[in-house]
Amino acid sequence: MYQLDRPDNLVEMINESIAKFRDREWFGVRNEQGEFEWHTYGQVGARIDNLRAGLAALGIGRGETVGIISGNSVEWAVACYATYGLFARYVTMYEAELPSTWEYIIRDSDTRLLFVSRRDIYDRVKHLLSGGKLRHVILIEGDGSGSMRELEEAGKLAPVPAVIPRPDDIAGLIYTSGTTGEPKGVLLSHGNITSNIHAIIKMFDMLNEETRSLSFLPWAHSYGQVCELHSVMRIGGSCGLAGSPATIVGDLAKVRPT
């Protein structure tokens, strides 16, 4: 029988990286002046722990689906790893998507809780709270009622330990573009993803904790997610988040990816 390399799930993988690289920079985010402010593995790890507990308090657990409509961000990654630590599934959607496509994916995947990056997206999906499986829409921007920040603060008061999935447990769904009809959801297991991460690191042995990337490929797509997010996390590298396609040239000079 084929034996997967360990760790064979994303929960143990993220836990190992946070413990090993706690004080190293992980994500760089552009501020209003266009400069990058860096968040360490330890800082992001604390947010993952807090959000996991917040999600658990809202009933998210084994087999539940957590969706997100957002571009790449620290919050995207925090929600991703917090979801995995509850045996739940993560479903990713693009901001530049038709509302009808969001609605189809949310209903098809039985999404119970949805993160959205902005108020205008919230306003376009909130009607889905009446009927179907969707029970919560959490706003990433801001820190008021119903925000992701509020959920993290609540979770901080009642910690919930992460559970460790099996390699054949489903980590998430990535939907196709739907060019031949409605989008099709591809089920990806923890073993599917971690085996790719291990293979990347073996093939490209120059990758290490000094590696730095500039993230512009969407994490809602499998390539961006596995190569730019999970693989960089595994080696303890760092990742600057490009502000937009228009800022990439300037961002390259500031982030200086390896």
Side-chain angles (χ1 to χ4, degrees), residues 2 5 13 192-205 207 226 231:
Y2 183 77
D5 289 343
M13 191 169 276
N192 287 151
I193 299 172
T194 57
S195 63
N196 276 271
I197 296 167
H198 289 301
I200 289 167
I201 294 170
K202 288 177 181 177
M203 290 181 67
F204 300 100
D205 58 6
L207 298 175
V226 173
S231 293

Side-chain angles (χ1 to χ4, degrees), residues 174-194:
I174 293 181
Y175 278 77
T176 66
S177 61
T179 51
T180 57
E182 297 289 4
K184 282 80 174 174
V186 179
L187 293 166
L188 294 175
S189 72
H190 283 268
N192 287 151
I193 299 172
T194 57

Side-chain angles (χ1 to χ4, degrees), residues 50-194:
N50 294 341
L51 186 62
R52 181 176 62 246
L55 291 173
L58 294 180
I60 300 301
R62 177 186 284 274
E64 299 284 359
T65 302
V66 173
I68 187 166
I69 303 172
S70 174
N72 300 359
S73 65
V74 176
E75 289 73 24
W76 197 107
V78 168
C80 169
Y81 294 118
T83 297
Y84 294 152
L86 291 171
F87 265 140
R89 303 174 176 191
Y90 201 56
V91 177
T92 59
M93 288 164 269
Y94 298 92
E95 291 176 327
E97 198 86 78
L98 292 172
S100 59
T101 301
W102 294 335
E103 181 170 351
Y104 176 82
I105 293 173
I106 289 165
R107 295 193 187 282
D108 186 67
S109 63
D110 288 335
T111 293
R112 180 169 177 180
L113 182 145
L114 178 68
F115 289 101
V116 297
S117 58
R118 306 189 310 266
R119 173 66 63 178
D120 64 300
I121 296 177
Y122 177 92
D123 290 339
R124 283 182 280 170
V125 299
K126 64 183 180 182
H127 70 281
L128 298 176
L129 289 166
S130 57
K133 292 286 186 71
L134 187 64
R135 291 292 177 267
H136 307 278
V137 179
I138 307 297
L139 187 60
I140 292 174
E141 70 177 7
D143 55 9
S145 177
S147 68
M148 181 172 173
R149 180 62 68 180
E150 180 189 54
L151 195 56
E152 290 178 55
E153 290 299 318
K156 193 176 188 178
L157 303 175
V160 172
V163 292
I164 307 300
R166 300 184 306 269
D168 57 348
D169 284 323
I170 299 302
L173 291 85
I174 293 181
Y175 278 77
T176 66
S177 61
T179 51
T180 57
E182 297 289 4
K184 282 80 174 174
V186 179
L187 293 166
L188 294 175
S189 72
H190 283 268
N192 287 151
I193 299 172
T194 57

Side-chain angles (χ1 to χ4, degrees), residues 29-37 254:
V29 181
R30 281 172 55 100
N31 60 24
E32 292 181 358
Q33 292 73 44
E35 300 301 321
F36 282 79
E37 298 177 353
K254 293 175 180 177

